[in-house]
Amino acid sequence: MRELDSTMNRDGDAAERGGDTPSPLQKNERAAAQGLAVDLYKALAEGDRERLETLLHPRFAGRATEGLPLDLGGVYHGPDAMRRDFWGRISKHYQARAVPERFNWLDDGQLMVIGRYTGTARVGHGVLDAEFVHILSFSDGRIRQLAQLTDSERWRQALTPENGLRTVEFAVTDGIAVLRLNRPDQRNAIDQAMADDLYEVAQRCAARSDLRALVVMGNGSAFTVGGDITVFADTGPEELSTTLRRMATPYHEALRLFAELSTPVVTAVHGSVGGGGLGLVYCADVVLASHGTKFATGFTALGLSGDGGTSWYLPRLVGLRRAQALYLGRVLDAHEACEWGLISEVVAADQLEETALHRAAALAAGPTRAYAEIRTLLRKSGSSTLSEQLSAEIDALARTASTVDAARAVRSFITKSKPAFEGR
């Protein structure tokens, strides 16, 4: 933390070379100043040039992190230089936004903003996901200085993406993403590399604005048998706890991101689905299973309590008693899994992939904005009161009613024609 503080101080000192040091704000001025900061991030997200002109002080100075690609690092003197040479050049090479998460006032009267840059590079679509720290100073009711600290390497990697995936395959075509687990010789057992790869893919999906559906499948004889037991066996008892925590953390974050995507998810399983691998079933909207597929938690056989969101999803999907039975060793075949509500449909093995891709294509051609609202409503319904859910439905209904898709669908209904949805 001491190193971070010193870096920010150097950034602040460098920015101050653009003019006199602003005076610290009084406590009663801080609320208004923080409002200016919020407006800054909103104006940047919306590309509102006029608003930026009113927010930035005529003697504004900005300091960008050294080492950023495209020679973006350095000091920018004046609001025009910051807009044109920094933010303007970023918009030419990235489709990204700065999302503030925390605002903290420092003892010297400056405002520290902590958040993330998220988005993609315009060429190659490499994912940008980098934390930032901004130190803002204010003067005369405007933003006088901004000093930035961020991970320049993440910006560089987004411009020159490499697939970098070791245990999964991932591709996006015409807005439909296909993710395939790819450790066929290990029956797609989840190890550290796969947990990391799934998290990487989840971030890529979440960052894409053109994604309209995601299909999840597995190569080889099984969808996934869950955690890689060979890893557990090769780990000493005193290290197993740390190993499992390290593996489960990125995997669970991947599952959270998949569940919160604004596009439908179709998961197609075959062979075996076990342990934490069930998480990729839980987060899907449509789950197809081939005849003969077996489903089991398998946790207690290893003396473990389980992961993959099983304790949250199973009681909601199949009920408490059936969830207990699965935790305590019950194995389901595909038809039982469908009857219990764990999956959506059973299909012939030789039609599984084709059916999954066809289903995803049909969803991708639908009103994806409405699908996004529906995903959120259903996900939150279990923890909401009826009053909260009714209110949430009104808000979601209002948002979807203002979309182009809704207007087009209403006209098509009147004219008895088929609407063409665009997801906007």
Side-chain angles (χ1 to χ4, degrees):
M1 187 65 184
R2 188 175 301 163
E3 180 180 352
L4 178 63
D5 291 341
S6 65
T7 303
M8 290 192 294
N9 288 336
R10 290 197 303 272
D11 286 351
D13 293 340
E16 288 169 9
R17 291 199 291 270
D20 299 331
T21 303
S23 301
L25 296 178
Q26 301 299 317
K27 288 185 178 180
N28 59 355
E29 299 175 303
R30 291 184 174 183
Q34 186 165 322
L36 294 176
V38 171
D39 285 349
L40 171 67
Y41 295 104
K42 182 178 180 181
L44 289 173
E46 297 175 352
D48 190 340
R49 179 186 176 91
E50 293 183 0
R51 182 57 179 148
L52 285 175
E53 288 180 355
T54 65
L55 289 170
L56 302 184
H57 194 279
R59 299 180 67 181
F60 174 86
R63 167 77 183 192
T65 300
E66 296 293 346
L68 283 171
L70 307 170
D71 294 324
L72 287 168
V75 181
Y76 295 84
H77 299 294
D80 288 340
M82 192 70 176
R83 285 197 310 267
R84 180 186 63 248
D85 300 331
F86 185 69
W87 291 322
R89 291 182 64 205
I90 285 178
S91 68
K92 290 180 180 179
H93 295 275
Y94 300 88
Q95 186 175 2
R97 62 183 300 175
V99 181
E101 297 173 350
R102 299 197 303 279
F103 296 85
N104 298 315
W105 285 99
L106 303 179
D107 292 341
D108 61 4
Q110 298 184 97
L111 178 62
M112 179 171 68
V113 185
I114 300 172
R116 301 196 77 80
Y117 293 111
T118 62
T120 59
R122 294 190 181 276
V123 176
H125 301 290
V127 173
L128 172 65
D129 181 24
E131 188 175 20
F132 69 74
V133 175
H134 291 164
I135 304 298
L136 301 179
S137 300
F138 304 87
S139 181
D140 303 323
R142 293 188 178 187
I143 300 170
R144 178 65 176 275
Q145 296 174 0
L146 186 156
Q148 176 213 53
L149 181 66
T150 188
D151 187 344
S152 59
E153 185 58 27
R154 286 184 174 267
W155 286 79
R156 190 176 304 280
Q157 289 173 355
L159 286 178
T160 56
E162 298 178 0
N163 186 278
L165 301 174
R166 297 161 289 174
T167 64
V168 303
E169 298 174 352
F170 180 71
V172 181
T173 305
D174 297 330
I176 300 177
V178 177
L179 164 63
R180 297 176 188 268
L181 308 184
N182 193 36
R183 297 187 74 209
D185 293 341
Q186 292 78 31
R187 304 180 72 202
N188 292 324
I190 302 171
D191 62 356
Q192 185 68 57
M194 182 174 283
D196 292 339
D197 282 352
L198 288 169
Y199 178 44
E200 172 64 23
V201 169
Q203 291 181 91
R204 295 185 190 184
C205 289
R208 293 187 70 116
S209 60
D210 62 338
L211 199 67
R212 295 182 65 82
L214 168 65
V215 181
V216 183
M217 296 184 283
N219 292 335
S221 63
F223 175 71
T224 176
V225 293
D228 192 336
I229 298 177
T230 62
V231 173
F232 307 165
D234 293 339
T235 304
E238 69 283 355
E239 300 173 358
L240 184 57
S241 176
T242 300
T243 297
L244 291 178
R245 183 181 293 275
R246 189 182 301 119
M247 286 176 55
T249 298
Y251 180 54
H252 279 192
E253 185 63 12
L255 295 178
R256 183 188 67 80
L257 290 172
F258 287 140
E260 294 180 359
L261 287 178
S262 58
T263 50
V265 177
V266 177
T267 296
V269 302
H270 68 286
S272 300
V273 188
L278 286 162
L280 295 168
V281 169
Y282 303 143
C283 64
D285 304 284
V286 177
V287 183
L288 306 174
S290 64
H291 292 284
T293 304
K294 300 295 184 181
F295 299 82
T297 64
F299 301 128
T300 55
L302 300 173
L304 299 173
S305 57
D307 64 337
T310 298
S311 62
W312 193 89
Y313 279 105
L314 264 189
R316 288 166 170 80
L317 288 170
V318 304
L320 177 59
R321 291 305 182 201
R322 286 178 166 177
Q324 290 169 326
L326 283 167
Y327 258 108
L328 297 177
R330 177 70 181 266
V331 178
L332 301 182
D333 63 27
H335 291 282
E336 289 173 317
C338 189
E339 179 187 342
W340 281 29
L342 186 59
I343 66 171
S344 310
E345 187 178 338
V346 182
V347 301
D350 59 356
Q351 298 176 8
L352 179 64
E353 180 171 333
E354 179 183 356
T355 303
L357 294 173
H358 178 77
R359 194 67 55 84
L363 290 169
T368 52
R369 290 280 296 277
Y371 294 156
E373 296 288 355
I374 291 166
R375 294 196 93 213
T376 300
L377 286 170
L378 292 177
R379 186 175 64 250
K380 293 184 177 181
S381 64
S383 57
S384 299
T385 65
L386 176 59
S387 295
E388 290 169 339
Q389 197 69 9
L390 290 172
S391 178
E393 285 185 359
I394 291 173
D395 293 339
L397 187 65
R399 286 191 293 269
T400 53
S402 66
T403 64
V404 173
D405 281 350
R408 183 172 295 168
V410 170
R411 289 196 301 270
S412 297
F413 183 84
I414 298 298
T415 60
K416 294 181 171 56
S417 59
K418 185 176 180 179
F421 296 112
E422 299 180 5
R424 62 186 181 92

